[in-house]
Amino acid sequence: MGKRTLKSIGGVASVIGAGITWYGYSGFAKSQSMISALNAGDALFGGSSSKSIDIWSGHADNYKIVLIIGAVILVVGIILLVSGFVSGSKGQEVHPVVTSNDSDKYDLTERLKKLDELKNSGLISQEEYDEKRKQLISLL
């Protein structure tokens, strides 16, 4: 996956995760407030609101789950976003910018010699050698 894709997916996931987390938190807080109000009403007026308290407790439990799911999506989104900024995919190659002065030509010559040594010593395959040589020559 490329840097741009990671940044895009990470950004979208972070926003969605933050929204879901906020929704879960606000619903949980509302449920807790209702449970507190029902308990206070029972204490003041001597009634029994146990069925209502049970219902709101169930809502609170559901909102906890929503909050956790939102937090997980948010964290994954942030990880993807950060990884998009930190590094690209391993398959992507970075092509250095080369100016056309004598020291750069010398550097390319040395790199071609080193590449030849790597192939001759068996550290890289013929295919890897050909691909890298083609890239280096295109910089001349």
Side-chain angles (χ1 to χ4, degrees), residues 14-33:
S14 296
V15 170
I16 291 171
I20 293 172
T21 301
W22 174 81
Y23 176 76
Y25 175 77
S26 63
F28 178 75
K30 181 173 72 172
S31 298
Q32 292 298 98
S33 295

Side-chain angles (χ1 to χ4, degrees), residues 34-35 38 48-59:
M34 287 301 294
I35 292 169
L38 290 168
S48 176
S49 302
S50 62
K51 288 183 181 179
S52 295
I53 291 172
D54 289 343
I55 290 170
W56 280 104
S57 293
H59 289 317

Side-chain angles (χ1 to χ4, degrees), residues 53-103:
I53 291 172
D54 289 343
I55 290 170
W56 280 104
S57 293
H59 289 317
D61 290 341
N62 291 338
Y63 282 119
K64 281 184 208 175
I65 294 168
V66 171
L67 193 142
I68 291 169
I69 290 170
V72 169
I73 293 170
L74 176 62
V75 168
V76 170
I78 290 171
I79 290 169
L80 289 172
L81 188 62
V82 168
S83 66
F85 281 104
V86 173
S87 65
S89 299
K90 291 186 178 190
Q92 292 179 330
E93 294 184 26
V94 177
H95 299 286
V97 176
V98 179
T99 59
S100 60
N101 62 31
D102 291 337
S103 65

Side-chain angles (χ1 to χ4, degrees), residues 1-19:
M1 220 180 285
K3 283 183 169 186
R4 188 174 188 175
T5 305
L6 286 173
K7 289 178 194 176
S8 298
I9 293 172
V12 170
S14 296
V15 170
I16 291 171

